[in-house]
Amino acid sequence: MKKEYDFSKMKSVKNPYAKYLKKQITIKINDDTIKYFKELAKETGITYQNLINLYLSDCAASHKKLKLVWKNK
């Protein structure tokens, strides 16, 4: 086995099963929220869409519930 391998000329191959792993949807998200995830994307090197997906996946996996309190006028 070689000590080092050169992968620089290797072609990038997309995952043929990716379309079965994720579903494209349309969702309305506040500008401030998108800005937050885009800034985080610059820091981490992960696309903001993937960061949002990772955050939502973590919430779903841990069964995190949003606590809403409605104020009466």
Side-chain angles (χ1 to χ4, degrees):
M1 215 185 223
K2 291 183 180 182
K3 287 185 180 182
E4 293 182 25
Y5 291 89
D6 181 14
F7 294 105
S8 63
K9 296 178 184 174
M10 191 171 147
K11 286 187 176 181
S12 176
V13 178
K14 290 186 178 183
N15 182 348
Y17 301 104
K19 64 182 175 183
Y20 301 110
L21 300 175
K22 292 183 180 180
K23 182 176 183 178
Q24 185 174 349
I25 63 166
T26 301
I27 183 170
K28 294 182 180 185
I29 300 176
N30 296 336
D31 286 337
D32 290 341
T33 304
I34 295 170
K35 183 179 176 184
Y36 169 79
F37 279 101
K38 283 187 175 183
E39 289 172 5
L40 192 58
K42 289 178 186 175
E43 294 174 23
T44 61
I46 301 171
T47 65
Y48 77 97
Q49 296 98 329
N50 281 333
L51 286 172
I52 294 170
N53 183 57
L54 288 168
Y55 182 78
L56 293 174
S57 295
D58 182 58
C59 289
S62 63
H63 300 282
K64 187 173 183 177
K65 305 257 190 244
L66 181 64
K67 295 177 186 176
L68 290 175
V69 178
W70 299 97
K71 294 183 180 180
N72 293 327
K73 291 184 178 182

